Amino acid sequence: MSPNLSLFSVNALLILSVDGGRILAKYYHPPHSASSQTRTPENPYPTVKEQKAFEKGLLEKTAKSTADIILYDNHVVVFKAESDVMLYIVGGMDENEMMLYHVVLALRDTLQILLKNSTDKRTIIENYDLVSLAIEEIVDDGVILETDAAAIVSRVSKPPQHEIAGVKGIDLSEQGLLNAWEFGKKQLQDRLRQGL
C-alpha cells in the first residue's frame, strides 16, 4: 500500500448558524480519481439534500460536545463556536487533526480581524464577499494554502500594489476628487476662452 502523497486534506469548510441554517458551505473532492485503497469516496455528499443532512447531524452532535475535535460520519471534524455561528473544517479519517485545527483557528482569527471582532451571522452575511475571499486564501479545492491570519487579511482587504503603481500620490478621498473636478473644470474654461 503506497502512502497518500496528495496535498488534498480538507473535505468541507462550513459556517453554520447555531439555529441550524447554512451560512456558507464549501465541499471539496480529491482532484484525482479515488483508488480502491483509499477509504473515502470521491464525493461523499454529492447532493444538497445529503449535505444538509450531514450538516444537521453535525450541528446536533457538536452542540453537546465540549471538545474541538470529533469523529463524525467517518470524518475528522474540527470546529469552533463564535457568537451565533459554528465554524467547521471536515477532513478524512487519515488527516492530521492538528493541521485541521490550525485551519479552523486561521479561519476564526481571519474573520475576527476582517469583521472587527464581530463574528456573527448578520456580519458574515453582510461581508460575504470578504469572507469568501478569505476562505479561498485559506483553502483552495481542499488544499490548505495559508494559516497565518495576518497574511490572509492583507491579501483580502487591500488591492495588490503592482496594479495601482500608476496612481501613486493621487488623493482618492472625497475632497481630493472634488479638487480634481474643480481643476478640470478650470482647465476646460481656460481652453474654451483661448479658443474663442
Side-chain angles (χ1 to χ4, degrees):
M1 188 159 132
S2 65
N4 184 8
L5 298 177
S6 174
L7 292 175
F8 180 83
S9 54
V10 176
N11 291 342
L13 190 148
L14 308 169
I15 300 177
L16 305 175
S17 64
V18 292
D19 60 0
R22 175 194 277 196
I23 298 172
L24 188 141
K26 287 193 164 274
Y27 286 86
Y28 307 105
H29 61 278
H32 307 291
S33 63
S35 67
S36 60
Q37 295 175 352
T38 59
R39 284 197 244 169
T40 58
E42 189 169 324
N43 192 358
Y45 309 106
T47 65
V48 175
K49 184 179 179 183
E50 291 172 341
Q51 292 173 4
K52 293 243 184 193
F54 173 75
E55 293 165 12
K56 182 181 178 192
L58 185 62
L59 194 61
E60 288 172 359
K61 183 162 184 175
T62 56
K64 304 171 200 163
S65 179
T66 57
D68 290 339
I69 301 171
I70 63 168
L71 289 174
Y72 179 74
D73 198 23
N74 291 328
H75 289 88
V76 174
V77 179
V78 182
F79 65 97
K80 280 288 184 189
E82 284 292 314
S83 184
D84 62 346
V85 296
M86 299 285 281
L87 310 172
Y88 294 97
I89 303 295
V90 181
M93 287 291 288
D94 297 331
E95 292 305 325
N96 185 339
E97 297 87 3
M98 290 307 294
M99 184 173 59
L100 296 176
Y101 188 70
H102 280 288
V103 174
V104 81
L105 289 179
L107 178 62
R108 181 199 63 185
D109 296 343
T110 301
L111 292 179
Q112 284 180 348
I113 294 169
L114 280 175
L115 306 177
K116 298 174 180 58
N117 289 327
S118 179
T119 310
D120 59 356
K121 181 180 178 179
R122 184 184 61 81
T123 311
I124 289 174
I125 291 172
E126 287 175 357
N127 296 290
Y128 198 82
D129 55 344
L130 285 176
V131 173
S132 295
L133 285 172
I135 288 172
E136 289 297 321
E137 289 293 327
I138 297 170
V139 177
D140 188 29
D141 281 338
V143 177
I144 300 169
L145 299 178
E146 182 70 64
T147 58
D148 181 20
I152 296 163
V153 169
S154 71
R155 289 187 199 134
V156 170
S157 61
K158 64 180 179 181
Q161 293 297 323
H162 62 83
E163 291 184 2
I164 59 170
V167 294
K168 282 188 177 179
I170 295 177
D171 184 15
L172 295 176
S173 66
E174 186 176 347
Q175 185 61 43
L177 293 175
L178 287 174
N179 290 343
W181 171 256
E182 290 298 323
F183 178 76
K185 192 165 80 172
K186 183 179 176 191
Q187 290 295 323
L188 181 64
Q189 288 173 351
D190 290 346
R191 296 278 173 128
L192 288 174
R193 282 191 205 126
Q194 289 174 0
L196 294 176

